[in-house]
Amino acid sequence: MLLVITGGVLTLLGFLSAVFLVAAPMGWMAHSPGLTLWVLFPLFTLLGYGLLVVGSRDPAVRVPTRWLGAALLLLALLAAVGLMASGAGLLQLQGDSSAPLWYVLVIGGLMGATGSATAGRVTPGA
């Protein structure tokens, strides 16, 4: 049970790191994210998810997988919209840097797509 709780908290912290990486260039935060958030986003998300899966023997672990996959895909989509709006001149990014948006788009998109695809897979005989 402790692994499930720890995994859930770490996954949430990793996801929040990605949220801050997207929010800062969009101007929704006053401060720009530091290097720590760039490292913690994939590290905490993957480590937390791994602990969550290992700690749970229940097939209901597919539910958090779907939620996390969907949330990461939505965040990647928001980053894509921000990049497109910035490229079209509709949005002025804070600090004139689109790097955090590209980072979340690629890493979050890959993790979200993988999580969504894995959650939908049904094992034979289960």
Side-chain angles (χ1 to χ4, degrees), residues 73-91:
L73 282 175
L74 288 174
L75 200 56
L77 182 62
L78 181 62
V81 169
L83 287 167
M84 190 281 310
S86 172
L90 301 173
L91 175 69

Side-chain angles (χ1 to χ4, degrees), residues 11-13 19 25-26 28 36 43 48 70 87 97 99 104 106 109-110 112 119:
T11 301
L12 179 64
L13 290 173
V19 168
M26 300 276 229
W28 300 337
T36 303
L43 179 67
S97 175
V104 172
V106 172
L110 287 174

Side-chain angles (χ1 to χ4, degrees), residues 55-126:
S56 175
R57 296 184 184 153
D58 188 0
V61 78
R62 290 186 190 139
V63 173
T65 300
R66 286 188 183 127
W67 290 350
L68 180 61
L72 286 171
L73 282 175
L74 288 174
L75 200 56
L77 182 62
L78 181 62
V81 169
L83 287 167
M84 190 281 310
S86 172
L90 301 173
L91 175 69
Q92 178 65 34
L93 297 178
Q94 299 294 333
D96 293 325
S97 175
S98 62
L101 295 178
W102 281 108
Y103 186 68
V104 172
L105 175 66
V106 172
I107 303 292
L110 287 174
M111 286 193 305
T114 303
S116 295
T118 303
R121 186 180 275 178
V122 177
T123 56

